[in-house]
Amino acid sequence: MAAGQTLMILVWSSLEGAKVGKLSSRAQLECAKIVARFSLYYFGAEKVAQIVSSFPSNLDYGANILDFFLTEIMGIIRKTKVEDVIILYLESLSRLNQLISFSMLSLVSTTRVQELLFSLSQPGGPHYPPRAVRSAARLAFSKIYPNGKYLRAIFKVLTSLLHPAYSLNVVILNSWLVVTTVLNNLFSTWPWQRAKTHLRKMARRMTKSD
């Protein structure tokens, strides 16, 4: 880890200030890719947020700087096979979104992030993520994109019911989760809440009259 951090500092320093002029455009772009791919792992979300805000703007990234970073990060997560490293990336992504909102991403980059998080939250191919990675991916997805959280949960369970990786017990458990999720959402709407309030008042009056 320490050696990697040292190397990242050297690469990043080569892109700063007067030193950047000593590199060719291609070399600058390759250094930028290295920083984008690995700085989240070695430095954490806070440092990455600082790097993004001060990143050289004279290179042709093919997108804005945040899109460039997320594209490279998604690429390295796809290639990573070490469970702890993937989980660290996923946790850091959630933190980075708090510092620099991913709402600024382009539609293409947003789709890439959501597609990868969703695929890592599912058992089986193409990634075959272990349970801890699936849990971390679902948590990151719900934190980064809270809208549609319940709909994604229902969709996940419905697709999981047909997945061969699940046992009969898990199928039953997931079926119960679908039912409870639907009922909780149904009874949390305004008419049901109002009806529930009236029923409680009636119950209190009946209790007092007794």
Side-chain angles (χ1 to χ4, degrees), residues 45-84:
E46 286 76 9
K47 180 62 177 179
V48 171
Q50 296 174 12
I51 291 175
V52 169
S53 63
S54 61
F55 215 62
S57 57
N58 61 323
L59 296 177
D60 182 15
Y61 301 111
N64 66 50
I65 294 176
L66 185 59
D67 278 82
F68 173 75
F69 262 73
L70 266 295
T71 298
E72 296 299 322
I73 291 171
M74 292 303 102
I76 202 65
I77 292 177
R78 290 180 187 277
K79 296 176 182 178
T80 302
K81 304 300 180 183
V82 181
E83 179 178 333
D84 291 342

Side-chain angles (χ1 to χ4, degrees), residues 22 25 28 33 35 46 62 66 75 96 109 115 121 129 135 142-144 155 167-168 176 178-179 201 208:
K22 299 178 182 179
S25 297
Q28 291 179 39
K33 287 182 179 180
V35 172
E46 286 76 9
L66 185 59
L96 182 61
S109 295
E115 186 275 331
S121 69
S135 298
S142 64
K143 286 184 176 180
I144 297 173
F155 179 76
S167 65
L168 179 60
W176 176 247
V178 170
V179 174
K201 289 181 179 179
K208 289 180 179 178

Side-chain angles (χ1 to χ4, degrees), residues 9 11 15 17 59-60 80 82 87 90 100 127 134 188 190-191:
I9 292 173
V11 175
L15 291 173
L59 296 177
D60 182 15
T80 302
V82 181
I87 292 174
L90 294 173
I100 307 177
H127 300 288
R134 298 200 302 270
S188 64
W190 174 77

Side-chain angles (χ1 to χ4, degrees), residues 13 41 75 85 124 140 144 188 206 208:
S13 64
Y41 176 75
V85 174
I144 297 173
S188 64
M206 294 175 64
K208 289 180 179 178

